[in-house]
Amino acid sequence: MKRAFLFLVVLMVGYYGYQAFEVYNRCRPLVCVTEGKMTEIAADVKAVVLDAGEDTTIVSPQKVRCYGDLVYFVSERVLYCFRQNGTFVGQITRPEELLVADYLIDTGGEQLIVFGNQDEVWYYTVGGELKERIRLPQDEEYSRLRSVAYYRNRVWVVKERQTSPGSRLEQVVTEYDITLVPLNNYPLHPTWRSVGALAGELVPLNNYPLHPTDAAYRPEVYTCLEPQFAVAPDNQEMYVYEASRFPESLLPDTLAIGRYRSIYPQRGNSGTMTIYPVRLGERFCFASGTGRTDPYLFCYDKVKNKCWELQHGIKDNIYHTGQVDNLFPLDLTGDGYWYTKSKGDIAARFPEAARKDIPVLFLVEMKKA
């Protein structure tokens, strides 16, 4: 009986202690800073030296994605593969056959789906062996492709289309099966801020679709960055992240999105695809881009109620490569990012790579709640 009583006391203390901790976190005063260090947001950063040998030169890696220990990226429209320990696996595509526009990793089928050459799609094993190539109907030409993603055994594509000859281009999300048979279309729409709290009064957030169809279109306020797919951590809802041209509005927009999502249950993708100006991670909301004049990097910590509004990047105090101007998404979750450094920035830590002009890829795992 005494043991049961003590156990109950410990359980109650633990429960109310946790509740008190949660209340404390929610009531923390908001802190905003204009300087930051990588260790404040990153749980781990791995460095991958992209040495492909004397016969292959890697230039400005883009579209970095991981599958287990394998790291894929595009350099000068060629798809390459490395291991995270820096071992060069191989060059997957040949520029004389295929110029890569984008690619995705089909984790269910353990294959790569590579888009390029207008209406051609090439399928490879994850090891780089060609499986097949298909040609899509003429109205699906990839000159209109903006972004692709693999999620829940489906291929998701942001593409541009014209409703009639001479009309303004608009964006739409198309859902395909793995064989690229179209299943559904989702119009893109911006998110909203609830300024009337429970009264339900709504006003638009300060971000915009790239190619709107409304009469209030103003070209000077639209970003030129590619839209990117992402998945919300709370309900696994897919959305589209699009960098804002108004970094000064990102903090109120982020807080408004958090309040709205906590008040109104999200039902997933029901006929439309939401645009957010930040990527929603488990702990951090993140955005980067170019405002009306200067580049910016924005990060909000939901646990500590802390905001970084950075105009000169974040300091790499792990590998000491200077300021990191941008972090690019590694996956759909909002918890993995990447960046590259080369030449003088890596000379102290990676002198051989700096001497050979070999870039170093850094894989960032964000801290969790």
Side-chain angles (χ1 to χ4, degrees):
M1 186 72 179
K2 187 177 180 180
R3 284 186 177 179
F5 177 74
L6 290 176
F7 175 77
L8 183 61
V9 170
V10 171
L11 187 64
M12 291 179 65
V13 169
Y15 173 78
Y16 285 109
Y18 175 78
Q19 294 299 319
F21 177 74
E22 288 293 296
V23 171
Y24 169 75
N25 276 333
R26 288 196 296 268
C27 296
R28 283 190 184 196
L30 177 64
V31 176
C32 294
V33 297
T34 56
E35 294 182 351
K37 299 178 181 178
M38 189 65 70
T39 51
E40 294 180 288
I41 65 173
D44 183 46
V45 180
K46 295 180 180 178
V48 184
V49 179
L50 302 180
D51 187 355
E54 296 182 357
D55 297 331
T56 304
T57 301
I58 304 298
V59 179
S60 301
Q62 302 292 328
K63 305 181 184 299
V64 179
R65 285 154 199 165
C66 292
Y67 179 69
D69 185 49
L70 299 175
V71 181
Y72 301 91
F73 61 86
V74 175
S75 172
E76 296 186 310
R77 302 196 68 177
V78 176
L79 183 60
Y80 295 92
C81 181
F82 278 75
R83 294 196 179 277
Q84 291 191 20
N85 63 7
T87 302
F88 180 48
V89 176
Q91 177 179 326
I92 295 176
T93 63
R94 307 297 172 195
E96 61 272 15
E97 297 176 338
L98 172 67
L99 295 176
V100 178
D102 211 333
Y103 74 99
L104 53 84
I105 304 172
D106 171 10
T107 55
E110 295 188 333
Q111 62 182 353
L112 306 173
I113 304 176
V114 184
F115 300 80
N117 292 0
Q118 295 295 317
D119 56 352
E120 283 192 335
V121 182
W122 299 49
Y123 290 77
Y124 296 84
T125 66
V126 291
E129 181 182 347
L130 180 63
K131 296 174 62 177
E132 65 173 322
R133 50 195 286 192
I134 65 173
R135 186 176 295 275
L136 296 180
Q138 188 66 26
D139 60 350
E140 299 290 347
E141 287 186 355
Y142 285 107
S143 58
R144 301 179 183 180
L145 181 144
R146 302 282 297 184
S147 181
V148 300
Y150 171 87
Y151 184 57
R152 290 179 173 172
N153 204 36
R154 293 287 186 266
V155 176
W156 301 79
V157 176
V158 178
K159 60 182 180 180
E160 295 175 337
R161 68 179 183 184
Q162 286 181 299
T163 55
S164 61
S167 64
R168 182 184 296 130
L169 287 172
E170 62 179 19
Q171 289 189 120
V172 65
V173 172
T174 301
E175 176 187 2
Y176 297 86
D177 68 13
I178 290 301
T179 61
L180 295 181
V181 174
L183 302 176
N184 297 296
N185 285 324
Y186 300 87
L188 285 170
H189 68 88
T191 50
W192 298 83
R193 176 191 296 153
S194 178
V195 297
L198 295 177
E201 182 182 357
L202 300 175
V203 296
L205 287 173
N206 292 299
N207 70 302
Y208 305 86
L210 286 178
H211 298 287
T213 56
D214 57 76
Y217 171 64
R218 292 184 296 141
E220 68 274 11
V221 303
Y222 289 88
T223 173
C224 61
L225 297 178
E226 295 293 325
Q228 299 167 349
F229 286 104
V231 173
D234 51 2
N235 68 338
Q236 305 304 301
E237 168 197 14
M238 177 169 273
Y239 64 94
V240 171
Y241 160 69
E242 211 167 76
S244 173
R245 291 292 298 272
F246 297 91
E248 66 274 10
S249 298
L250 285 173
L251 178 58
D253 287 354
T254 300
L255 296 176
I257 291 170
R259 287 194 297 269
Y260 187 82
R261 292 181 68 87
S262 65
I263 295 172
Y264 300 100
Q266 304 297 303
R267 296 174 298 175
N269 303 112
S270 55
T272 59
M273 186 73 68
T274 302
I275 302 171
Y276 285 136
V278 291
R279 295 181 65 89
L280 309 176
E282 182 177 324
R283 174 170 173 173
F284 294 96
C285 297
F286 185 85
S288 62
T290 301
R292 285 163 289 186
T293 56
D294 300 312
Y296 67 84
L297 190 152
F298 170 86
C299 188
Y300 173 70
D301 186 341
K302 293 181 283 187
V303 172
K304 293 187 175 181
N305 199 23
K306 182 176 181 180
C307 169
W308 291 263
E309 297 177 310
L310 311 176
Q311 290 188 344
H312 304 289
I314 189 167
K315 182 178 180 180
D316 174 12
N317 62 333
I318 299 176
Y319 291 94
H320 305 286
T321 62
Q323 297 295 115
V324 178
D325 296 328
N326 208 339
L327 293 173
F328 302 95
L330 192 59
D331 51 36
L332 299 178
T333 66
D335 294 321
Y337 292 88
W338 65 272
Y339 65 96
T340 59
K341 289 282 190 174
S342 60
K343 299 181 179 179
D345 289 339
I346 61 173
R349 193 64 182 268
F350 306 94
E352 187 68 10
R355 185 182 66 82
K356 294 181 178 180
D357 198 13
I358 296 171
V360 177
L361 170 67
F362 297 90
L363 306 176
V364 180
E365 178 186 348
M366 303 291 275
K367 292 179 178 179
K368 302 294 180 66

